[in-house]
């Protein structure tokens, strides 16, 4: 089991989405282990509440998303809801609208996000993971998008992120076959960033998160903004936003603190301003 902090835990979606904060790191847990953390509409909405809360908390500098139990990160959508919520095109469109805001919130999240993945990461779980800034996986993880086996179309945004990570040929292979990919293969094709032994996953993920939390928030924000603009078509890039955050960094208290700490040979204490 992952040793996830339980202090000051807040529950959403009848306890199926949990949030907590430790050492500047926010943790969101998909807490539906009996269904391998399959996402219901209520869980999507709960995810939105947790993301918003942690976004607005000045003590939080980075957010980890993780699944409860040892079977899955998120095994996909809760198929038991499909007869009611996705039984035809009109119902599926309404379903997508109700989860679209939460996906957009994660896609444009202003703070760094990390997916801590063990076990199954399938379908909608892949979409959640791909929306985060980085993906750290255990060596027992499995990845896949079984849309073709269910007769449904995977959305544009999800496929856009998939293609950007693994390229069009691998995206076609994943989508056409509905195959599952082992962690080592996911690392090789660029779907995840690191693969670790299962027993080391949580501590390694927290170490990365705490390192990020200890760095200058404005500098990280600058990197996040600039990378996002690089990934856009050249005609749509907001170069002024890049220049503005660059100026903010150079005029910040944190830049002065960084210089002073370097000269005094001590660890800097960044405040994000």
């Amino acid at each position: 089991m992952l040793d996830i902090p339980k202090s000051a835990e807040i529950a959403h979606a009848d306890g199926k989405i949990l949030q907590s904060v430790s050492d500047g790191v926010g943790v969101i847990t998909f807490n539906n282990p009996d269904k391998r953390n399959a996402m219901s509409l209520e869980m999507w909405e709960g995810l939105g509440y947790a993301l918003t809360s942690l976004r607005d908390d000045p003590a939080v500098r980075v957010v980890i998303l993780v699944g409860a139990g040892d079977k899955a990160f998120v095994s996909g959508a809760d198929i038991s809801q499909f007869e009611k919520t996705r039984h035809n095109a009109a119902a599926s469109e309404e379903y997508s609208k109700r989860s679209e805001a939460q996906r957009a919130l994660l896609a444009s999240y202003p703070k760094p996000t990390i997916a801590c993945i063990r076990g199954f990461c399938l379908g909608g779980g892949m979409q959640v993971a791909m929306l985060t800034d980085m993906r750290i996986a255990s060596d027992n993880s499995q990845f896949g998008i079984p849309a073709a086996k269910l007769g449904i179309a995977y959305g544009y945004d999800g496929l856009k992120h998939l293609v950007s990570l693994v390229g069009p040929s691998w995206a076609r292979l994943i989508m056409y076959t509905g195959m599952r990919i082992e962690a080592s293969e996911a690392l090789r094709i660029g779907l995840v960033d690191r693969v670790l032994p299962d027993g080391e996953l949580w501590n390694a993920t927290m170490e990365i998160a705490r390192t990020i939390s200890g760095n200058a928030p404005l500098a990280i924000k600058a990197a996040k903004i600039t990378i996002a603009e690089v990934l856009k078509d050249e005609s749509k890039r907001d170069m002024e936003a890049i220049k503005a955050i660059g100026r903010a960094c150079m005029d910040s208290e944190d830049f002065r603190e960084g210089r002073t700490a370097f000269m005094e040979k001590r660890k800097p204490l960044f405040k994000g301003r």
Side-chain angles (χ1 to χ4, degrees):
M1 298 293 290
L2 298 179
D3 185 19
I4 300 170
K6 299 298 181 184
S7 58
E9 202 166 57
I10 298 173
H12 307 280
D14 293 327
K16 290 184 172 63
I17 296 290
L18 305 175
Q19 73 177 71
S20 60
V21 178
S22 175
D23 298 330
V25 179
V27 178
I28 296 176
T29 304
F30 301 103
N31 187 39
N32 191 17
D34 290 344
K35 291 189 176 183
R36 295 183 175 177
N37 302 322
M39 290 285 283
S40 63
L41 275 173
E42 294 76 19
M43 287 175 68
W44 275 110
E45 291 167 353
L47 174 61
Y49 291 133
L51 286 169
T52 301
S53 176
L54 295 175
R55 180 197 65 191
D56 297 340
D57 185 343
V60 174
R61 293 186 176 181
V62 57
V63 174
I64 297 173
L65 284 75
V66 66
D70 57 4
K71 300 297 184 184
F73 173 70
V74 173
S75 62
D78 186 349
I79 297 177
S80 67
Q81 289 193 333
F82 277 22
E83 280 302 313
K84 180 179 180 181
T85 62
R86 300 182 75 178
H87 56 280
N88 59 27
S92 184
E93 185 175 356
E94 180 63 25
Y95 178 98
S96 295
K97 286 180 180 178
R98 289 183 62 184
S99 60
E100 182 178 9
Q102 288 74 37
R103 295 195 304 273
L105 176 60
L106 183 55
S108 61
Y109 208 65
K111 299 178 179 181
T113 53
I114 305 172
C116 178
I117 303 166
R118 67 189 317 204
F120 296 112
C121 180
L122 307 174
M126 282 267 288
Q127 190 167 34
V128 171
M130 290 189 297
L131 286 171
T132 61
D133 291 326
M134 58 197 78
R135 288 151 295 283
I136 314 299
S138 71
D139 54 10
N140 66 2
S141 301
Q142 293 187 42
F143 302 84
I145 300 173
K149 295 180 181 295
L150 295 170
I152 61 176
Y154 203 66
Y156 171 82
D157 288 341
L159 282 178
K160 179 182 178 182
H161 289 294
L162 181 63
V163 172
S164 72
L165 290 172
V166 305
S169 292
W170 261 103
R172 293 186 186 104
L173 183 60
I174 290 168
M175 295 305 302
Y176 295 177
T177 65
M179 66 190 293
R180 290 185 185 176
I181 299 172
E182 301 293 334
S184 58
E185 188 82 295
L187 179 64
R188 188 182 69 81
I189 67 176
L191 188 58
V192 301
D193 303 300
R194 292 186 70 185
V195 170
L196 297 160
D198 187 60
E200 299 175 13
L201 176 65
W202 180 250
N203 287 339
T205 303
M206 278 297 295
E207 182 180 355
I208 292 170
R210 289 187 179 118
T211 298
I212 294 170
S213 179
N215 288 336
L218 284 176
I220 292 170
K221 183 177 181 181
K224 182 154 185 169
I225 288 172
T226 304
I227 291 168
E229 295 303 322
V230 168
L231 293 173
K232 294 179 182 178
D233 291 337
E234 187 173 356
S235 62
K236 297 180 180 180
R237 290 175 189 156
D238 187 348
M239 300 306 293
E240 283 304 313
I242 295 173
K243 292 177 181 178
I245 190 61
R247 289 192 295 267
C249 284
M250 298 305 293
D251 289 337
S252 69
E253 293 179 23
D254 279 354
F255 181 39
R256 291 192 291 275
E257 167 65 8
R259 299 196 311 270
T260 302
F262 179 81
M263 296 299 293
E264 295 177 354
K265 297 181 180 180
R266 61 174 174 81
K267 184 178 179 179
L269 297 174
F270 295 119
K271 299 179 180 179
R273 59 177 186 266

